[in-house]
Amino acid sequence: YPSRLITGAPVRGEHEKTVIMLHGLGDTGDGWSFCRDHMQMENVKWLFPTAPTRPISCNMGMAMPGWFDLRLLPLSASMDEQDDNKASKEALDKFTNEEDINDSVRYCLSLVDKEIEQGVPPNKIVLGGFSQGGLIAARAALLCKHRLAACVLLSSWIGNFGEDASKLQDLPFFIGHGDVDPMVPLELGKKSYAYIKELGNEVTMKTYRGVAHSCNMEELDDLKDFLIESLEDQVTMEDLEGMSAGKLKKWLLSKRVDIAGCLEKS
């Protein structure tokens, strides 16, 4: 699977967590590599793969980086004639190339496996993507044999892809979508939200006013908050009881708790 991979080492601390971010059609891993410096997340290694260059039907067959061939663009807001909250597999096949998708999902899962081999626990790995990269990330996260920390879809979509989708993992998802996206209509983001939730996963969806097929600073800030929450260690009551007063206050502040007037721990 030909792909170029950009690796962003943690800005601070040892490598304990990994975020894998997949770009959209026609972009490269460089296009999202700013996330490392922008988000300044401690102990987090970032991976920004570039999709293979392939002919893209909706671009008159011209070659560009793509995780799969797109036959039509923009996508239809309905994707099908059914009255439910998900796009059918038959409808998706009108727009996408399933063989390409499966190849890219396997590649994405191979990146996860390599991180685990290097000692990163699955619950410290996040898969994410923009546009068609989000579809690959979501498929991979739902099919992964390990329960990952979370999955991110930005200006993206995912539809019913058959019985394999039943491998749900009660996984936290973040869906971000502009409300004036002309390429992937907001309605598809809403259908993706309904479908992923129907599979039994925890889904946070946020829409951004005036944002087209892109993202803004508000969305990046929301994404950072979601990543921090998804990747942080779970703190038990026993952990809290064992903390010093100073460490406890620092932890409360990290949770944006107002500690004004708090007494020293006895």
Side-chain angles (χ1 to χ4, degrees):
Y1 190 94
S3 179
R4 183 170 61 90
L5 183 65
I6 296 175
T7 301
V11 291
R12 294 183 303 279
E14 298 295 319
H15 172 212
E16 300 174 357
K17 312 162 188 179
T18 302
V19 178
I20 302 170
M21 189 69 186
L22 279 62
H23 62 79
L25 180 64
D27 199 0
T28 66
D30 301 88
W32 283 89
S33 61
F34 71 91
C35 287
R36 172 192 175 271
D37 292 334
H38 175 79
M39 296 194 180
Q40 292 289 305
M41 294 177 62
E42 190 172 357
N43 304 119
V44 174
K45 180 176 85 173
W46 293 79
L47 295 179
F48 305 101
T50 293
T53 298
R54 66 176 86 237
I56 302 296
S57 298
C58 67
N59 195 38
M60 298 180 292
M62 294 178 62
M64 61 174 59
W67 298 109
F68 52 87
D69 185 26
L70 265 177
R71 298 188 175 96
L72 297 170
L73 200 66
L75 300 178
S76 165
S78 62
M79 284 293 261
D80 65 353
E81 298 175 355
Q82 298 182 26
D83 224 359
D84 57 18
N85 284 323
K86 59 191 176 189
S88 69
K89 186 178 185 306
E90 293 74 18
L92 288 171
D93 287 345
K94 295 177 184 177
F95 290 84
T96 61
N97 183 303
E98 187 70 14
E99 184 177 348
D100 292 349
I101 290 175
N102 290 335
D103 286 345
S104 293
V105 167
R106 281 192 289 269
Y107 169 69
C108 191
L109 289 174
S110 76
L111 295 179
V112 172
D113 288 341
K114 287 178 183 176
E115 291 304 298
I116 294 173
E117 289 170 5
Q118 292 174 17
V120 182
N123 66 349
K124 297 299 179 185
I125 300 174
V126 175
L127 287 178
F130 177 82
S131 193
Q132 65 165 212
L135 185 149
I136 300 301
R139 286 268 196 111
L142 289 169
L143 295 174
C144 187
K145 61 186 177 183
H146 307 284
R147 188 194 183 281
L148 304 179
C151 184
V152 173
L153 289 83
L154 305 179
S155 303
S156 188
W157 78 99
I158 183 174
N160 182 10
F161 56 99
E163 294 180 1
D164 286 342
S166 63
K167 299 179 181 178
L168 60 91
Q169 315 234 359
D170 189 25
L171 191 64
F173 276 78
F174 177 87
I175 296 177
H177 218 110
D179 67 352
V180 291
D181 191 330
M183 296 298 172
V184 182
L186 176 59
E187 184 62 29
L188 281 182
K190 292 179 178 178
K191 286 193 172 191
S192 300
Y193 167 86
Y195 176 56
I196 296 169
K197 198 172 182 65
E198 180 184 304
L199 292 177
N201 298 286
E202 177 186 341
V203 190
T204 299
M205 181 171 183
K206 296 195 175 185
T207 58
Y208 300 92
R209 181 171 297 185
V211 175
H213 196 57
S214 61
C215 65
N216 62 6
M217 293 302 296
E218 180 186 359
E219 185 172 8
L220 290 173
D221 288 343
D222 289 341
L223 173 58
K224 179 179 179 180
D225 289 343
F226 174 80
L227 292 175
I228 290 174
E229 183 178 351
S230 300
L231 288 168
E232 72 178 354
D233 294 325
Q234 296 301 311
V235 178
T236 66
M237 285 302 299
E238 185 177 349
D239 293 330
L240 293 174
E241 290 171 358
M243 287 183 184
S244 66
K247 189 172 182 180
L248 177 60
K249 285 188 175 182
K250 184 178 179 181
W251 183 83
L252 290 171
L253 285 171
S254 73
K255 298 297 178 184
R256 301 177 181 175
V257 175
D258 183 2
I259 62 170
C262 285
L263 298 175
E264 291 294 321
K265 191 176 158 191
S266 60

